[in-house]
Amino acid sequence: MRPLTYERAGDAGAARAALAQHGRGARYLAGGTNLVDLMKLGVEAPTHLVDVRHLPYDRIDDTEDGGLRIGATVTNNALAADARVRESYPVLSQALLAGASGQLRNLATVGGNLLQRTRCAYFQDVTKPCNKRDPGTGCPAREGDHRNLAILGHSEACVATHPSDMAVALVALGATVHVLGDTGEREIAMPGLHRLPGDEPQRDTVLAPGELITAVQLPGLGRLGVRSHYRKVRDRASYAFAVVSIAAAVDVAADGTIADCRIAFGGLAHVPWRAEAAEARLRGAPATEASFAAAAAADAELAAARPLRDNGFKVPLARNLLVRTLVELSEGTEGAAR
Amino acid sequence: MTDVSEIPRTDLVLHVNGAGHRIRVDPRTTLLDVLREHLGLTGAKKGCDHGQCGACTVLLDGRRVNSCLALAVAHQDAEILTIEGLADGERLHPVQEAFLERDAYQCGYCTPGQICSAVGMLAEARAEGTELDADEIRERMSGNLCRCGAYVNIVDAIGDVAAGG
């Protein structure tokens, strides 16, 4: 670790000014669960930390459209435990609780969770080349250990996956990220926050340097949000990153057809992957097991998959996960009960 | 090489187990290293030092955290409780009693972290109104590894406290 200085920002303006003043070596610090770890690994070497954890973004407020505005410094555990989230957006609570450990979730914030870096082993090992960590050095994962890396949207330069569970749920729910930048506030609709690697894998998101996440807003979704679920497949029962995960919501109409649905995958791409092709195929279709089992939706989505040598298994895994999760979600609803 | 005298230092005040401590540290210092190296509180253990094993678990304002990933300078306003501060004088905390009763350890290295984590976890479950069965305890304690494999007795010990036994 390089020597560094630390300051606690009193307000957002001061935080942004401090970051700008200290230049490229400055980083915002919130919960620190990823940043401090990356500092120990030598992946990050900040010269100045601007602590934003005490900024006044620690509330979860109701919005006029029946949604929620979640402050960026709300901890992952506080968000998961919020009664409104558990009631109206179970997929979000479940995704949060499927991630990390109780101890990490008590430190980790909503803003920090969105900005955490990939856990690709090459990115985290400074003795290895990595285009994301050190642009232009190459990507050993393509020929090396990539069993748990991307099958969708990857590039010649990078095959990393985004590690967040929470972000997968937020993408499915159509959340909006509020950020503060040079020109004031702006809103970024998810899944637009994260970007595919292309030839600039060092850029995980569309944020400009110094832009600060202040809140995440969930739209009021009524029944669709209530009928939502997060399911995560991992190499052990708990406390592991996803191999493949899914955030799904289904609203079945009285006639048994799918009135609306939302589907997003984790563990498949450099971004939380909104399965828009699958959603489009399912809207208006009968919510029956046969319909899901045909896996037409999944194939529509996963036809674009380009698995690497050792991760082709993620294609059927994602398909099965989608079918099983949608079957379970639509069971017990009025329309699908027949 | 960096000249040691040029490394920035910062003065901070930490509130640990009910007492204030004024210390001067490199701002990179983690809460775990402050507890162990500056305050002589060696109950919290350095296992992986990457937030993966839970041996360093302490309570910040009653909430369990990995002290190896928390920079001390960032937690000056928190009430920090370590395994050393859990007992009330000679009277052990109920979770400590339960670990003794159930023989919930072998080498003991992970035990302070297990106990602090369990104390925090029980409070979380109480606040949510969640009933804790063995599966739920296992899931909620998955951030604490035990290389001896004393999990069976650890789960029983925590289950005893959860059930008010």
Side-chain angles (χ1 to χ4, degrees), chain A residues 279-298:
Chain A
E279 290 178 10
R281 189 75 72 90
L282 282 170
R283 285 194 190 97
T288 60
E289 171 140 16
S291 168
F292 298 130

Side-chain angles (χ1 to χ4, degrees), chain A residues 87-326:
Chain A
E87 170 77 22
S88 303
Y89 309 95
V91 65
L92 178 56
S93 183
Q94 291 159 4
L96 286 157
L97 293 176
S101 67
Q103 292 97 311
L104 290 168
R105 293 193 298 267
N106 276 332
L107 285 170
T109 63
V110 168
N113 185 313
L114 288 172
L115 299 182
Q116 64 179 307
R117 310 301 306 275
T118 185
R119 298 316 196 277
C120 174
Y122 300 100
F123 173 75
Q124 294 195 298
D125 181 350
V126 295
T127 69
K128 302 290 191 297
C130 169
N131 286 326
K132 182 182 280 297
R133 191 187 64 245
D134 197 359
T137 55
C139 175
R142 281 204 149 269
E143 298 302 321
D145 179 5
H146 55 234
R147 175 182 168 274
N148 204 15
L149 299 181
I151 60 168
L152 285 165
H154 53 74
S155 69
E156 203 53 46
C158 182
V159 295
T161 49
H162 195 267
S164 171
D165 293 296
M166 180 191 78
V168 180
L170 292 180
V171 160
L173 294 170
T176 304
V177 181
H178 293 247
V179 303
L180 199 58
D182 290 340
T183 54
E185 278 198 50
R186 67 172 176 133
E187 296 178 6
I188 303 169
M190 292 186 82
L193 176 67
H194 299 96
R195 58 183 294 286
L196 291 174
D199 53 12
E200 281 188 302
Q202 68 274 21
R203 290 179 57 218
D204 291 352
T205 70
V206 299
L207 294 184
E211 273 193 309
L212 181 68
I213 296 177
T214 57
V216 171
Q217 194 159 330
L218 301 179
L221 292 177
R223 216 163 55 163
L224 184 63
V226 174
R227 282 263 164 217
S228 66
H229 189 67
Y230 190 74
R231 190 156 173 176
K232 180 176 179 181
V233 177
R234 40 192 159 176
D235 286 331
R236 59 185 182 207
S238 182
Y239 198 17
F241 288 96
V243 175
V244 182
S245 68
I246 189 168
V250 180
D251 182 14
V252 180
D255 67 357
T257 60
I258 296 169
D260 199 2
C261 68
R262 302 288 181 80
I263 302 166
F265 285 113
L268 298 188
H270 198 258
V271 299
W273 189 270
R274 178 80 178 261
E276 281 169 356
E279 290 178 10
R281 189 75 72 90
L282 282 170
R283 285 194 190 97
T288 60
E289 171 140 16
S291 168
F292 298 130
D299 284 343
E301 193 64 45
L302 295 164
R306 288 176 293 131
L308 305 166
R309 183 193 63 227
D310 294 331
N311 67 3
F313 73 96
K314 285 193 177 190
V315 178
L317 183 54
R319 184 177 59 229
N320 293 343
L321 196 57
L322 188 158
V323 171
R324 186 50 43 201
T325 305
L326 291 185

Side-chain angles (χ1 to χ4, degrees), chain A residues 1-4 6 8 33 36-37 40-41 49 51 53-54 77 86 101-104 106-107 238-239, chain B residues 8 27-28 49-52 57 63-66 68-69 71 73-75 77 117 124 128 139 142-144:
Chain A
M1 274 198 254
R2 265 198 307 201
L4 57 77
Y6 166 95
R8 179 181 292 192
T33 53
V36 173
D37 192 26
K40 292 182 183 198
L41 293 168
L49 292 177
D51 191 341
R53 197 168 53 92
H54 298 271
N77 256 356
R86 289 199 289 176
S101 67
Q103 292 97 311
L104 290 168
N106 276 332
L107 285 170
S238 182
Y239 198 17
Chain B
R28 291 171 294 182
D49 208 23
H50 288 282
Q52 296 175 8
T57 304
R63 285 182 281 275
R64 54 184 174 151
V65 303
N66 302 100
C68 74
L69 292 182
L71 295 183
V73 67
H75 296 282
D77 46 359
S117 184
E124 289 163 15
E128 295 163 24
E139 166 58 32
S142 66
N144 291 85

